[in-house]
C-alpha cells in the first residue's frame, strides 16, 4: 500500500491555493463555440501551459490549423505536456479540455458565470468548474502537492488538453493518430477525467459508453406545400407516410422493432450482471433526474442496464412539417424524420445501418405510396467498452477505496464520449474514465458548479490513482 | 331571354376605364394583417365607398370597434352599400372583401405588387387583382356599364364589402347577425365572388365547401428535454407515443381510420354523382397543381369527389420536437401533434369530435405509457352546402352559358369559406359562389394576377347573372 498520507495532508493544506487556481481558470471565458471568444480560448491554453511549466513540466502548444468550414478562425492549440521522464516509471496519458460551454448571466445564472463563487455548502459555481477545468487542474494540483510534500511522483505524466471539446473536437482525432507513435508512444494507460458520478456520494469508474447511429428519412410528394382544404384526400401526404414509418421503429416501452437488431447485442454475462446491483442509485434518483415518474422500468437494475448496456431508439423530430404554436392547415410537401439508435457491443455501425435501411425501405414499400422516399445516414459514432478488470481499473478502484472508503460504482455511460474510442483504437491501450464531479454539477447548464469536496478529494484521488497504477503496472 | 347585348357592348367599350379602376384599387396596399398598413386598409374602404357613391349608390362605413386581442387597432370599416330600391325588383346581396394578403417585391414578385402590370398575354399582375378587388369592382363596373348603355339595372343591389377577410374576418359574423333583420332584411339571394374556376377555360358555380375540425394531441413525460444518450431506453418518450397515435388516424391512401366517421358521411346520390363527369378537369390538371404525380386517384371523378365531397384527414406537424436541419440527440419532453379533418354533410362538428376523442383516448390507453395525454379542440368550422337547383343557381348557369357559351362546372370547394355558412344560417337565403378568377391566379402567392378576359367577361357575367336572377325570382 503506497504511503500517501503526506500527499493527502499537503492537498488539504493547499486547498485554498488550488481553489485560487480554479478561480483564475474560470475567469477566462474560453468558449470554443463563439467566434468572438476564440482569443480567450487561446489565452486559456497559454495560461494552462504556463502553469505546467511553472511546475517543472514541459509543454508544446500544438497548432491545429484553420477551423474547417470557418477558415477565418484558427483552431485553439492542443496542449501537449509532459511531467517526468523516468524510464523505470509507467507513463500515464491524461486527457482533458480547457474550453467551456457558452454562458452568460442573462441565461439565468444566479452569479457571474466567469467569477468562481462559493456558497456556504461549498458549492463552487462557475462555467467550466466541473467541465472540465476542475479535473484538468486536479492533475496539476496533484503534481504540486507531491512536490511540496516531498513525495516522489510515481509516474511520468503525458498530458493532452484540448481547446475544442465543446465544439466538435476539431483536429483532435488527426492529432492523436499522428502522435500515437510519437508523443503518446510511451503511454501505458489512458485516464480521462471528464464525466460525472452517477449520484452525489459515491465515485464511479466508467468502462463504457454507447455509440450513436443517427438517421433521417425523407419523404417528398407534392411540388410545394399544399392547403389541406383544397388537396386533403386527393394526394398522398408525406407526413402520413413518414409517421407510419417512424411508428414502426420502436414501441412505447422502448423496444426496437427493427428485425435483427436484438441479435447483434452481446448477451449479458453473469459477471457483468453482478456489476449492477451494488451501484449506488435508486429509482427515486432516476425519477428526480427525469423530472417525472415516467420511467419504463420499476427496478433500478433494469433502468441502469437500459441506460448503459442495451441499445435504444429515440424519435427526435420532423423537419419540414408545421412546428409552431397555432393551427396551420398545411400539407407539408417534404418532411424529414430524424431518429437515432444508441448502440452497444457488438452492434457494428454498418451492420446496424444495413438492418435499419432494409427495415425502412420495406415499411415504405408496404405503404404503396406514390411519394418519394430517401434514407440518409446523418452520422455514426461507435460504442466504446473497456475491460474493467484491467490493472488500470483495479488501480483506480483501490484509489477510490483509499480516498473515499468505498468501492466505486462500475458504470457505463449512455451518451458517447468519442475521444475514449480514439485513444483506445489509436494507442491500443486501456482507457479509463475517472470522473471528479457529481451528478448534480449541471455541466452545460446554468449554475454549473463543482463541490469543494469533489475538487479536493478528487485531487487526492487522481494522485492516489497514479500511485496504484505504478504499483500495478511495471515497466520492463 | 334578357336583352343584354347593349350592356355587353358597353362593358367592352369601358374596359380600359375598368382596368384603370382596378389599377387604382391595387395601388392601395390594404394588407389587413399588418398593423402598419391598417391606415391603407381604411383608405381602401373609403375609396371604395366614394366609387359606389359616384355611381349613385348609398354607402355606410360601418365601424366594427377595436381588433380583439390587439386593442390599439381599430378594425377597418365594413362597407354597407345599396344601389336601387325598387320594391318590385328582387334584392341581391353581394359580398366581397377589399383587404389583401401581404406582399412585397422581395418575396419574389417579378413586378411591384402594388402597381398593376399587364403583360402581352393580358395577365394583370398585382396584389388583390383576383383576391378580391377585381371581383368587387366587377359589381361596380356592371352598374356603370348599365348606366352608360342605358339599360335598366335589373335588381336592387345590397353590398357588403369587408376589410378583414385575410385576417380572420373579425367582427363580420356579429355584423351579419345584427343586420340580418335590418340592412340585409330584404335580400332574396346572396352571391359571393371570392373563389376560382377549377381550371382556366370554364367558369364554375360553387355550391359547397368542406368544414374543418382542427385538433391537437399533447403528450408530456419528462420534466425537461433529455439527452437521448443518457436517457434513451430508460424513459417513456412522448414522441414515440405521439407518433403511434398519429399513425392510427389515417392510412396512406387517405382513408380515415377513426371508427364511425364514415357512417356520418351522406351517401352519394345518383343525381349528385352525375355532376362530376362533365367537370372540365383532367388528371393532368391535377398533377400540375400538385406539382407531382402523387395523386391517390387515377380517375378524375374520384379525385374530384375526394376533394369536394368526402372527408379527409391531414397530419400537419408536431410542436415541441426537433424541427431544424441538423442532428440533435434530444428526447423532447412535451410534444403536440396537430391534425385536422375536412368535414362534409352530415358530419356534425360535435359528433366528429366525440369520435376523434374516443379514438385517440383508446389509442393512448393501448400504449400503456406513463406519459400524460391531453386532447385539444383547436377550432372547428362547419361545412356548407347549397341546393344547386335553386333559381339562384339556374340564373347563374344561364348567365354563364350566355357569356361564355358553355355550361358551368358545378363544383364544391375543399377548403372552407366561413362567410357562406354565416349568410346561409343568418339570412336563411340561398348563397351562390360565382367566381371571376381562374385556377392559375395565384391568390395568396407571389405574382398574383387576374386575366383581362376574366375581368371583362367576368363583369359581363355578374351583370348577366343579375338579369337572370330578376327573371327567375319574382317579388310579390
Ligand atoms: Zn462538456
Ligand atoms: Zn467535458
Ligand atoms: Zn378572398
Ligand atoms: Zn384570400
Amino acid at each position: 500500500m503506497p504511503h500517501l498520507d503526506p500527499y493527502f495532508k499537503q492537498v488539504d493544506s493547499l486547498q485554498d491555493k488550488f481553489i485560487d487556481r480554479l478561480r483564475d481558470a474560470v475567469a477566462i471565458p474560453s468558449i470554443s463555440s463563439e467566434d468572438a471568444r476564440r482569443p480567450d480560448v487561446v489565452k486559456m491554453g497559454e495560461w494552462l501551459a504556463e502553469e505546467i511549466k511553472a511546475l517543472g513540466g514541459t509543454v508544446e502548444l500544438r497548432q491545429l490549423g484553420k477551423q474547417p468550414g470557418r477558415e477565418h478562425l484558427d483552431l485553439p492549440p492542443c496542449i501537449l505536456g509532459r511531467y517526468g521522464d523516468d524510464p523505470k516509471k509507467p507513463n500515464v496519458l491524461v486527457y482533458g479540455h480547457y474550453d467551456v460551454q457558452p454562458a452568460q448571466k442573462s441565461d439565468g445564472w444566479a452569479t457571474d458565470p466567469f467569477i468562481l463563487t462559493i456558497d456556504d455548502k461549498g458549492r463552487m459555481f462557475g462555467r467550466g468548474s466541473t467541465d472540465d477545468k476542475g479535473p484538468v487542474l486536479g492533475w496539476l494540483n496533484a503534481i504540486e502537492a507531491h512536490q511540496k510534500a516531498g513525495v516522489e511522483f510515481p509516474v511520468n505524466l503525458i498530458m493532452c488538453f484540448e481547446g475544442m471539446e465543446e465544439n466538435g473536437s476539431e483536429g483532435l482525432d488527426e492529432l492523436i493518430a499522428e502522435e500515437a507513435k510519437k508523443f503518446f508512444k510511451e503511454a501505458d494507460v489512458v485516464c480521462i477525467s471528464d464525466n460525472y458520478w452517477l449520484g452525489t456520494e459515491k465515485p464511479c469508474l466508467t468502462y463504457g459508453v454507447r455509440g450513436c447511429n443517427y438517421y433521417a428519412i425523407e419523404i417528398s410528394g407534392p411540388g410545394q406545400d399544399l392547403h389541406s382544404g383544397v388537396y386533403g384526400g386527393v394526394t398522398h401526404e408525406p407526413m402520413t407516410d413518414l409517421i407510419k414509418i417512424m411508428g414502426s421503429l420502436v414501441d412505447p416501452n422502448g423496444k426496437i422493432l427493427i428485425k435483427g437488431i436484438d441479435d447483434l447485442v452481446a448477451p449479458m454475462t453473469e459477471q457483468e450482471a453482478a456489476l449492477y446491483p451494488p451501484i449506488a442509485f435508486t429509482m427515486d434518483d432516476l425519477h428526480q433526474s427525469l423530472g417525472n415518474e415516467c420511467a419504463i422500468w420499476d427496478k433500478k437494475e433494469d433502468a441502469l442496464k437500459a441506460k448503459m448496456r442495451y441499445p435504444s431508439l429515440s424519435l427526435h423530430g420532423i423537419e419540414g412539417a408545421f412546428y409552431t404554436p397555432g393551427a396551420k392547415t398545411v400539407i407539408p410537401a417534404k418532411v424529414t424524420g430524424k431518429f437515432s439508435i444508441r448502440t452497444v457491443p457488438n452492434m457494428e455501425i454498418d451492420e446496424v445501418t444495413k438492418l435499419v435501411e432494409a427495415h425502412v425501405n420495406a415499411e415504405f414499400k408496404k405503404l404503396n405510396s406514390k411519394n418519394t422516399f430517401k434514407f440518409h445516414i446523418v452520422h455514426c459514432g461507435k460504442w466504446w467498452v473497456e475491460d474493467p478488470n484491467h490493472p488500470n481499473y483495479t488501480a483506480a478502484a483501490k484509489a477510490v477505496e483509499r480516498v473515499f472508503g468505498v468501492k466505486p460504482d462500475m458504470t457505463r455511460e449512455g451518451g458517447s464520449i468519442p475521444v475514449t474510442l480514439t485513444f483506445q483504437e489509436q494507442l491500443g491501450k486501456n482507457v479509463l474514465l475517472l470522473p471528479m464531479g457529481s451528478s448534480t454539477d449541471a455541466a452545460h447548464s446554468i449554475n454549473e458548479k463543482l463541490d469543494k469536496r469533489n475538487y479536493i478529494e478528487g485531487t487526492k484521488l487522481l494522485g492516489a490513482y497514479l500511485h496504484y497504477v505504478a504499483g500495478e503496472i511495471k515497466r520492463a
Side-chain angles (χ1 to χ4, degrees), chain A residues 337-363:
Chain A
K338 316 270 181 88
F339 67 99
S340 68
I341 299 178
R342 295 287 159 174
T343 60
V344 297
N346 301 313
M347 300 167 70
E348 295 299 324
I349 286 174
D350 292 345
E351 277 183 277
V352 170
T353 297
K354 236 167 80 181
L355 293 173
V356 171
E357 187 165 14
H359 176 90
V360 294
N361 276 322
E363 289 293 319

PDB file of all heavy atoms in Angstrom, chain A residues 337-363:
ATOM      1  N   GLY A 337     -37.871  12.862 -41.177  1.00  0.00           N
ATOM      2  CA  GLY A 337     -37.926  12.371 -39.799  1.00  0.00           C
ATOM      3  C   GLY A 337     -36.528  12.018 -39.312  1.00  0.00           C
ATOM      4  O   GLY A 337     -35.742  11.415 -40.035  1.00  0.00           O
ATOM      5  N   LYS A 338     -36.210  12.437 -38.091  1.00  0.00           N
ATOM      6  CA  LYS A 338     -34.880  12.202 -37.525  1.00  0.00           C
ATOM      7  C   LYS A 338     -34.983  11.203 -36.374  1.00  0.00           C
ATOM      8  O   LYS A 338     -35.811  11.392 -35.481  1.00  0.00           O
ATOM      9  CB  LYS A 338     -34.302  13.510 -36.978  1.00  0.00           C
ATOM     10  CG  LYS A 338     -34.491  14.740 -37.878  1.00  0.00           C
ATOM     11  CD  LYS A 338     -33.376  14.950 -38.840  1.00  0.00           C
ATOM     12  CE  LYS A 338     -33.590  16.186 -39.703  1.00  0.00           C
ATOM     13  NZ  LYS A 338     -33.073  17.422 -39.137  1.00  0.00           N
ATOM     14  N   PHE A 339     -34.135  10.214 -36.382  1.00  0.00           N
ATOM     15  CA  PHE A 339     -34.092   9.289 -35.253  1.00  0.00           C
ATOM     16  C   PHE A 339     -32.686   8.746 -35.095  1.00  0.00           C
ATOM     17  O   PHE A 339     -31.879   8.818 -36.029  1.00  0.00           O
ATOM     18  CB  PHE A 339     -35.103   8.144 -35.420  1.00  0.00           C
ATOM     19  CG  PHE A 339     -34.809   7.199 -36.548  1.00  0.00           C
ATOM     20  CD1 PHE A 339     -34.178   5.979 -36.309  1.00  0.00           C
ATOM     21  CD2 PHE A 339     -35.167   7.518 -37.845  1.00  0.00           C
ATOM     22  CE1 PHE A 339     -33.917   5.096 -37.352  1.00  0.00           C
ATOM     23  CE2 PHE A 339     -34.910   6.646 -38.900  1.00  0.00           C
ATOM     24  CZ  PHE A 339     -34.279   5.433 -38.652  1.00  0.00           C
ATOM     25  N   SER A 340     -32.379   8.246 -33.927  1.00  0.00           N
ATOM     26  CA  SER A 340     -31.055   7.671 -33.723  1.00  0.00           C
ATOM     27  C   SER A 340     -31.138   6.451 -32.834  1.00  0.00           C
ATOM     28  O   SER A 340     -32.077   6.289 -32.053  1.00  0.00           O
ATOM     29  CB  SER A 340     -30.094   8.703 -33.129  1.00  0.00           C
ATOM     30  OG  SER A 340     -30.475   9.028 -31.823  1.00  0.00           O
ATOM     31  N   ILE A 341     -30.153   5.606 -33.022  1.00  0.00           N
ATOM     32  CA  ILE A 341     -30.056   4.384 -32.221  1.00  0.00           C
ATOM     33  C   ILE A 341     -28.785   4.466 -31.393  1.00  0.00           C
ATOM     34  O   ILE A 341     -27.697   4.713 -31.925  1.00  0.00           O
ATOM     35  CB  ILE A 341     -30.009   3.140 -33.127  1.00  0.00           C
ATOM     36  CG1 ILE A 341     -31.292   3.052 -33.952  1.00  0.00           C
ATOM     37  CG2 ILE A 341     -29.809   1.868 -32.300  1.00  0.00           C
ATOM     38  CD1 ILE A 341     -31.327   1.877 -34.909  1.00  0.00           C
ATOM     39  N   ARG A 342     -28.910   4.287 -30.092  1.00  0.00           N
ATOM     40  CA  ARG A 342     -27.738   4.177 -29.217  1.00  0.00           C
ATOM     41  C   ARG A 342     -27.272   2.730 -29.288  1.00  0.00           C
ATOM     42  O   ARG A 342     -28.061   1.810 -29.058  1.00  0.00           O
ATOM     43  CB  ARG A 342     -28.109   4.541 -27.786  1.00  0.00           C
ATOM     44  CG  ARG A 342     -28.514   5.980 -27.623  1.00  0.00           C
ATOM     45  CD  ARG A 342     -27.307   6.894 -27.711  1.00  0.00           C
ATOM     46  NE  ARG A 342     -27.699   8.253 -28.058  1.00  0.00           N
ATOM     47  CZ  ARG A 342     -26.855   9.277 -28.079  1.00  0.00           C
ATOM     48  NH1 ARG A 342     -25.565   9.103 -27.788  1.00  0.00           N
ATOM     49  NH2 ARG A 342     -27.277  10.466 -28.415  1.00  0.00           N
ATOM     50  N   THR A 343     -26.016   2.558 -29.623  1.00  0.00           N
ATOM     51  CA  THR A 343     -25.508   1.209 -29.886  1.00  0.00           C
ATOM     52  C   THR A 343     -24.584   0.723 -28.773  1.00  0.00           C
ATOM     53  O   THR A 343     -23.981   1.522 -28.050  1.00  0.00           O
ATOM     54  CB  THR A 343     -24.738   1.180 -31.211  1.00  0.00           C
ATOM     55  OG1 THR A 343     -23.644   2.101 -31.129  1.00  0.00           O
ATOM     56  CG2 THR A 343     -25.630   1.572 -32.376  1.00  0.00           C
ATOM     57  N   VAL A 344     -24.506  -0.593 -28.670  1.00  0.00           N
ATOM     58  CA  VAL A 344     -23.667  -1.244 -27.650  1.00  0.00           C
ATOM     59  C   VAL A 344     -22.980  -2.428 -28.314  1.00  0.00           C
ATOM     60  O   VAL A 344     -23.333  -2.817 -29.433  1.00  0.00           O
ATOM     61  CB  VAL A 344     -24.546  -1.720 -26.469  1.00  0.00           C
ATOM     62  CG1 VAL A 344     -25.222  -0.544 -25.776  1.00  0.00           C
ATOM     63  CG2 VAL A 344     -25.593  -2.726 -26.948  1.00  0.00           C
ATOM     64  N   PRO A 345     -21.972  -3.023 -27.645  1.00  0.00           N
ATOM     65  CA  PRO A 345     -21.347  -4.217 -28.213  1.00  0.00           C
ATOM     66  C   PRO A 345     -22.424  -5.294 -28.469  1.00  0.00           C
ATOM     67  O   PRO A 345     -23.323  -5.442 -27.667  1.00  0.00           O
ATOM     68  CB  PRO A 345     -20.378  -4.686 -27.123  1.00  0.00           C
ATOM     69  CG  PRO A 345     -20.128  -3.475 -26.280  1.00  0.00           C
ATOM     70  CD  PRO A 345     -21.381  -2.668 -26.343  1.00  0.00           C
ATOM     71  N   ASN A 346     -22.369  -5.986 -29.547  1.00  0.00           N
ATOM     72  CA  ASN A 346     -21.419  -5.947 -30.654  1.00  0.00           C
ATOM     73  C   ASN A 346     -22.059  -5.343 -31.896  1.00  0.00           C
ATOM     74  O   ASN A 346     -21.902  -5.871 -32.996  1.00  0.00           O
ATOM     75  CB  ASN A 346     -20.951  -7.379 -30.966  1.00  0.00           C
ATOM     76  CG  ASN A 346     -20.297  -8.027 -29.734  1.00  0.00           C
ATOM     77  OD1 ASN A 346     -19.459  -7.419 -29.081  1.00  0.00           O
ATOM     78  ND2 ASN A 346     -20.663  -9.250 -29.411  1.00  0.00           N
ATOM     79  N   MET A 347     -22.787  -4.270 -31.750  1.00  0.00           N
ATOM     80  CA  MET A 347     -23.500  -3.671 -32.882  1.00  0.00           C
ATOM     81  C   MET A 347     -22.521  -2.847 -33.713  1.00  0.00           C
ATOM     82  O   MET A 347     -22.213  -1.709 -33.359  1.00  0.00           O
ATOM     83  CB  MET A 347     -24.626  -2.782 -32.363  1.00  0.00           C
ATOM     84  CG  MET A 347     -25.675  -3.528 -31.525  1.00  0.00           C
ATOM     85  SD  MET A 347     -26.774  -2.394 -30.611  1.00  0.00           S
ATOM     86  CE  MET A 347     -27.739  -1.695 -31.944  1.00  0.00           C
ATOM     87  N   GLU A 348     -22.084  -3.415 -34.811  1.00  0.00           N
ATOM     88  CA  GLU A 348     -21.186  -2.667 -35.682  1.00  0.00           C
ATOM     89  C   GLU A 348     -22.000  -1.624 -36.460  1.00  0.00           C
ATOM     90  O   GLU A 348     -23.137  -1.866 -36.851  1.00  0.00           O
ATOM     91  CB  GLU A 348     -20.465  -3.604 -36.653  1.00  0.00           C
ATOM     92  CG  GLU A 348     -19.533  -4.596 -35.983  1.00  0.00           C
ATOM     93  CD  GLU A 348     -18.399  -3.910 -35.211  1.00  0.00           C
ATOM     94  OE1 GLU A 348     -17.904  -2.852 -35.665  1.00  0.00           O
ATOM     95  OE2 GLU A 348     -18.018  -4.421 -34.134  1.00  0.00           O
ATOM     96  N   ILE A 349     -21.402  -0.479 -36.685  1.00  0.00           N
ATOM     97  CA  ILE A 349     -22.108   0.626 -37.343  1.00  0.00           C
ATOM     98  C   ILE A 349     -22.771   0.185 -38.642  1.00  0.00           C
ATOM     99  O   ILE A 349     -23.969   0.431 -38.859  1.00  0.00           O
ATOM    100  CB  ILE A 349     -21.121   1.794 -37.603  1.00  0.00           C
ATOM    101  CG1 ILE A 349     -20.820   2.512 -36.277  1.00  0.00           C
ATOM    102  CG2 ILE A 349     -21.673   2.776 -38.629  1.00  0.00           C
ATOM    103  CD1 ILE A 349     -19.757   3.600 -36.370  1.00  0.00           C
ATOM    104  N   ASP A 350     -22.023  -0.474 -39.515  1.00  0.00           N
ATOM    105  CA  ASP A 350     -22.559  -0.788 -40.834  1.00  0.00           C
ATOM    106  C   ASP A 350     -23.624  -1.879 -40.799  1.00  0.00           C
ATOM    107  O   ASP A 350     -24.579  -1.844 -41.571  1.00  0.00           O
ATOM    108  CB  ASP A 350     -21.421  -1.191 -41.788  1.00  0.00           C
ATOM    109  CG  ASP A 350     -20.523  -0.003 -42.082  1.00  0.00           C
ATOM    110  OD1 ASP A 350     -20.944   1.137 -41.792  1.00  0.00           O
ATOM    111  OD2 ASP A 350     -19.409  -0.205 -42.584  1.00  0.00           O
ATOM    112  N   GLU A 351     -23.451  -2.815 -39.886  1.00  0.00           N
ATOM    113  CA  GLU A 351     -24.473  -3.862 -39.748  1.00  0.00           C
ATOM    114  C   GLU A 351     -25.801  -3.250 -39.318  1.00  0.00           C
ATOM    115  O   GLU A 351     -26.868  -3.608 -39.829  1.00  0.00           O
ATOM    116  CB  GLU A 351     -24.038  -4.872 -38.685  1.00  0.00           C
ATOM    117  CG  GLU A 351     -23.081  -5.939 -39.173  1.00  0.00           C
ATOM    118  CD  GLU A 351     -22.781  -6.924 -38.046  1.00  0.00           C
ATOM    119  OE1 GLU A 351     -21.893  -6.607 -37.213  1.00  0.00           O
ATOM    120  OE2 GLU A 351     -23.453  -7.967 -37.988  1.00  0.00           O
ATOM    121  N   VAL A 352     -25.723  -2.342 -38.350  1.00  0.00           N
ATOM    122  CA  VAL A 352     -26.940  -1.677 -37.863  1.00  0.00           C
ATOM    123  C   VAL A 352     -27.586  -0.894 -39.002  1.00  0.00           C
ATOM    124  O   VAL A 352     -28.794  -0.980 -39.239  1.00  0.00           O
ATOM    125  CB  VAL A 352     -26.613  -0.753 -36.671  1.00  0.00           C
ATOM    126  CG1 VAL A 352     -27.813   0.112 -36.312  1.00  0.00           C
ATOM    127  CG2 VAL A 352     -26.158  -1.579 -35.469  1.00  0.00           C
ATOM    128  N   THR A 353     -26.766  -0.143 -39.715  1.00  0.00           N
ATOM    129  CA  THR A 353     -27.293   0.667 -40.816  1.00  0.00           C
ATOM    130  C   THR A 353     -27.989  -0.205 -41.855  1.00  0.00           C
ATOM    131  O   THR A 353     -29.051   0.153 -42.366  1.00  0.00           O
ATOM    132  CB  THR A 353     -26.151   1.483 -41.451  1.00  0.00           C
ATOM    133  OG1 THR A 353     -25.639   2.390 -40.477  1.00  0.00           O
ATOM    134  CG2 THR A 353     -26.642   2.274 -42.656  1.00  0.00           C
ATOM    135  N   LYS A 354     -27.389  -1.357 -42.155  1.00  0.00           N
ATOM    136  CA  LYS A 354     -27.994  -2.261 -43.140  1.00  0.00           C
ATOM    137  C   LYS A 354     -29.384  -2.711 -42.689  1.00  0.00           C
ATOM    138  O   LYS A 354     -30.337  -2.714 -43.471  1.00  0.00           O
ATOM    139  CB  LYS A 354     -27.096  -3.492 -43.328  1.00  0.00           C
ATOM    140  CG  LYS A 354     -26.679  -3.720 -44.772  1.00  0.00           C
ATOM    141  CD  LYS A 354     -25.553  -4.724 -44.914  1.00  0.00           C
ATOM    142  CE  LYS A 354     -26.032  -6.162 -44.844  1.00  0.00           C
ATOM    143  NZ  LYS A 354     -24.879  -7.100 -44.964  1.00  0.00           N
ATOM    144  N   LEU A 355     -29.505  -3.080 -41.423  1.00  0.00           N
ATOM    145  CA  LEU A 355     -30.805  -3.521 -40.900  1.00  0.00           C
ATOM    146  C   LEU A 355     -31.829  -2.388 -40.911  1.00  0.00           C
ATOM    147  O   LEU A 355     -32.990  -2.575 -41.262  1.00  0.00           O
ATOM    148  CB  LEU A 355     -30.643  -4.064 -39.474  1.00  0.00           C
ATOM    149  CG  LEU A 355     -29.843  -5.359 -39.324  1.00  0.00           C
ATOM    150  CD1 LEU A 355     -29.623  -5.679 -37.846  1.00  0.00           C
ATOM    151  CD2 LEU A 355     -30.560  -6.517 -40.019  1.00  0.00           C
ATOM    152  N   VAL A 356     -31.369  -1.189 -40.525  1.00  0.00           N
ATOM    153  CA  VAL A 356     -32.277  -0.041 -40.473  1.00  0.00           C
ATOM    154  C   VAL A 356     -32.756   0.295 -41.882  1.00  0.00           C
ATOM    155  O   VAL A 356     -33.955   0.492 -42.126  1.00  0.00           O
ATOM    156  CB  VAL A 356     -31.588   1.183 -39.835  1.00  0.00           C
ATOM    157  CG1 VAL A 356     -32.453   2.431 -39.985  1.00  0.00           C
ATOM    158  CG2 VAL A 356     -31.281   0.922 -38.366  1.00  0.00           C
ATOM    159  N   GLU A 357     -31.825   0.324 -42.809  1.00  0.00           N
ATOM    160  CA  GLU A 357     -32.190   0.686 -44.180  1.00  0.00           C
ATOM    161  C   GLU A 357     -33.167  -0.329 -44.771  1.00  0.00           C
ATOM    162  O   GLU A 357     -34.160   0.046 -45.404  1.00  0.00           O
ATOM    163  CB  GLU A 357     -30.922   0.798 -45.044  1.00  0.00           C
ATOM    164  CG  GLU A 357     -31.231   1.337 -46.430  1.00  0.00           C
ATOM    165  CD  GLU A 357     -29.977   1.802 -47.162  1.00  0.00           C
ATOM    166  OE1 GLU A 357     -28.864   1.466 -46.716  1.00  0.00           O
ATOM    167  OE2 GLU A 357     -30.134   2.521 -48.177  1.00  0.00           O
ATOM    168  N   ALA A 358     -32.883  -1.619 -44.545  1.00  0.00           N
ATOM    169  CA  ALA A 358     -33.788  -2.659 -45.055  1.00  0.00           C
ATOM    170  C   ALA A 358     -35.171  -2.494 -44.438  1.00  0.00           C
ATOM    171  O   ALA A 358     -36.197  -2.594 -45.126  1.00  0.00           O
ATOM    172  CB  ALA A 358     -33.225  -4.047 -44.745  1.00  0.00           C
ATOM    173  N   HIS A 359     -35.206  -2.210 -43.148  1.00  0.00           N
ATOM    174  CA  HIS A 359     -36.495  -2.059 -42.457  1.00  0.00           C
ATOM    175  C   HIS A 359     -37.310  -0.898 -43.013  1.00  0.00           C
ATOM    176  O   HIS A 359     -38.477  -1.055 -43.362  1.00  0.00           O
ATOM    177  CB  HIS A 359     -36.252  -1.856 -40.960  1.00  0.00           C
ATOM    178  CG  HIS A 359     -37.500  -1.589 -40.178  1.00  0.00           C
ATOM    179  ND1 HIS A 359     -38.264  -2.585 -39.615  1.00  0.00           N
ATOM    180  CD2 HIS A 359     -38.154  -0.424 -39.895  1.00  0.00           C
ATOM    181  CE1 HIS A 359     -39.318  -2.051 -39.021  1.00  0.00           C
ATOM    182  NE2 HIS A 359     -39.275  -0.741 -39.166  1.00  0.00           N
ATOM    183  N   VAL A 360     -36.689   0.275 -43.102  1.00  0.00           N
ATOM    184  CA  VAL A 360     -37.473   1.445 -43.531  1.00  0.00           C
ATOM    185  C   VAL A 360     -37.864   1.324 -45.001  1.00  0.00           C
ATOM    186  O   VAL A 360     -38.957   1.741 -45.398  1.00  0.00           O
ATOM    187  CB  VAL A 360     -36.754   2.785 -43.232  1.00  0.00           C
ATOM    188  CG1 VAL A 360     -36.626   2.991 -41.729  1.00  0.00           C
ATOM    189  CG2 VAL A 360     -35.399   2.886 -43.909  1.00  0.00           C
ATOM    190  N   ASN A 361     -37.008   0.729 -45.813  1.00  0.00           N
ATOM    191  CA  ASN A 361     -37.384   0.501 -47.211  1.00  0.00           C
ATOM    192  C   ASN A 361     -38.588  -0.425 -47.308  1.00  0.00           C
ATOM    193  O   ASN A 361     -39.522  -0.169 -48.076  1.00  0.00           O
ATOM    194  CB  ASN A 361     -36.210  -0.098 -47.995  1.00  0.00           C
ATOM    195  CG  ASN A 361     -35.258   0.973 -48.496  1.00  0.00           C
ATOM    196  OD1 ASN A 361     -35.690   2.052 -48.899  1.00  0.00           O
ATOM    197  ND2 ASN A 361     -33.970   0.695 -48.449  1.00  0.00           N
ATOM    198  N   ALA A 362     -38.567  -1.498 -46.525  1.00  0.00           N
ATOM    199  CA  ALA A 362     -39.688  -2.443 -46.555  1.00  0.00           C
ATOM    200  C   ALA A 362     -40.966  -1.774 -46.051  1.00  0.00           C
ATOM    201  O   ALA A 362     -42.050  -1.965 -46.622  1.00  0.00           O
ATOM    202  CB  ALA A 362     -39.360  -3.668 -45.707  1.00  0.00           C
ATOM    203  N   GLU A 363     -40.839  -0.969 -45.004  1.00  0.00           N
ATOM    204  CA  GLU A 363     -42.019  -0.287 -44.464  1.00  0.00           C
ATOM    205  C   GLU A 363     -42.598   0.692 -45.481  1.00  0.00           C
ATOM    206  O   GLU A 363     -43.805   0.816 -45.622  1.00  0.00           O
ATOM    207  CB  GLU A 363     -41.670   0.447 -43.163  1.00  0.00           C
ATOM    208  CG  GLU A 363     -41.414  -0.454 -41.975  1.00  0.00           C
ATOM    209  CD  GLU A 363     -42.662  -1.206 -41.520  1.00  0.00           C
ATOM    210  OE1 GLU A 363     -43.748  -0.600 -41.490  1.00  0.00           O
ATOM    211  OE2 GLU A 363     -42.534  -2.414 -41.222  1.00  0.00           O
TER     212      GLU A 363
END
